[in-house]
Amino acid sequence: DGGITQSPKYLFRKEGQNVTLSCEQNLNHDAMYWYRQDPGQGLRLIYYSQIVNDFQKGDIAEGYSVSREKKESFPLTVTSAQKNPTAFYLCASRLAGTSYEQYFGPGTRLTVT
Amino acid sequence: GQQLNQSPQSMFIQEGEDVSMNCTSSSIFNTWLWYKQDPGEGPVLLIALYKAGELTSNGRLTAQFGITRKDSFLNISASIPSDVGIYFCAGQGGPNYGQNFVFGPGTRLSVLP
């Protein structure tokens, strides 16, 4: 059963702590993405990776870090430097080449207090 | 980064009615995607459009890639209660954005029985 999994669904952290959100896909997709969603806004791109061991900053990368050591995994770390980390985080992937159909995981809601 | 404009922002319709919503941009795109998101879940891809003027259907949903490449439209016929949710458009490609995706803020649809 192919798809994208994100864990955990809900995450609570104290201010000043780093936290890592998991994203795994078994679709054999080449590109993976992290987005942040805030109420009433469209999705904003944090980081993306087109290939293993390579990733690029998106529009709002400050305070976040990623790694892409395996094709199927693209974890996102929300660091203490992120000023307003409470949000809904969505991971997505797509097959490279001429397909631009991007598929999303179920999301992780992070609350930092 | 720029986000797309979606209208209407929200709409309330009676079950059985048809729905129309649109997405506009000041930039041209090579691909338009339409997603539906339920509360607390990740967006689900409904339709992908790859060619200006293209009209594509998926069940009761029909979407069109605007001829100017700066807009797209989504129609839902004979709405049912499970159509409730937020509908997002996304543009990809074109001279300003390369491989990445730009999202609209969404149209929130409510269906009254």
Side-chain angles (χ1 to χ4, degrees), chain A residues 9 33 35 37 40-45 48 50 59 88 90 94 98-107 109, chain B residues 1-3 9 31 33 35 37 40-45 48 50 86 88 92 99-106:
Chain A
K9 182 70 174 171
Y33 305 79
Y35 293 91
Q37 186 175 35
Q41 295 191 37
L43 280 62
R44 293 184 291 167
L45 182 64
Y48 64 101
Q50 305 278 18
D59 299 321
F88 190 48
L90 287 159
R94 73 170 182 90
T98 56
S99 169
Y100 291 100
E101 295 177 9
Q102 185 179 72
Y103 296 91
F104 284 87
R109 182 165 299 281
Chain B
Q2 185 218 20
Q3 293 203 337
Q9 204 168 24
T31 303
L33 304 174
Y35 291 87
Q37 186 178 30
E41 301 295 330
V44 173
L45 180 63
Y50 292 101
I86 303 177
F88 290 100
Q92 184 278 335
Q99 299 270 321
N100 290 335
F101 298 79
V102 180
F103 288 82

Side-chain angles (χ1 to χ4, degrees), chain A residues 29-56:
Chain A
H29 283 178
D30 303 286
M32 296 186 74
Y33 305 79
W34 274 105
Y35 293 91
R36 172 185 171 129
Q37 186 175 35
D38 294 286
Q41 295 191 37
L43 280 62
R44 293 184 291 167
L45 182 64
I46 304 173
Y47 267 98
Y48 64 101
S49 168
Q50 305 278 18
I51 195 170
V52 174
N53 292 324
D54 186 53
F55 48 82
Q56 306 295 328

Side-chain angles (χ1 to χ4, degrees), chain B residues 46-51 53-59 61-65 73-75:
Chain B
L46 299 174
I47 293 178
L49 301 158
Y50 292 101
K51 194 175 169 182
E54 178 183 354
L55 189 71
T56 297
S57 293
N58 177 8
L61 279 62
T62 301
Q64 184 161 25
F65 192 139
F73 307 87
L74 177 69
N75 295 318

Side-chain angles (χ1 to χ4, degrees), chain A residues 51-96:
Chain A
I51 195 170
V52 174
N53 292 324
D54 186 53
F55 48 82
Q56 306 295 328
K57 292 182 180 180
D59 299 321
I60 55 165
E62 186 176 347
Y64 299 98
S65 66
V66 293
S67 63
R68 186 90 187 272
E69 296 176 2
K70 297 186 295 183
K71 187 176 184 177
E72 58 269 24
S73 178
F74 191 40
L76 172 74
T77 297
V78 184
T79 76
S80 56
Q82 167 51 230
K83 298 281 186 278
N84 185 19
T86 294
F88 190 48
Y89 290 88
L90 287 159
C91 178
S93 70
R94 73 170 182 90
L95 200 61

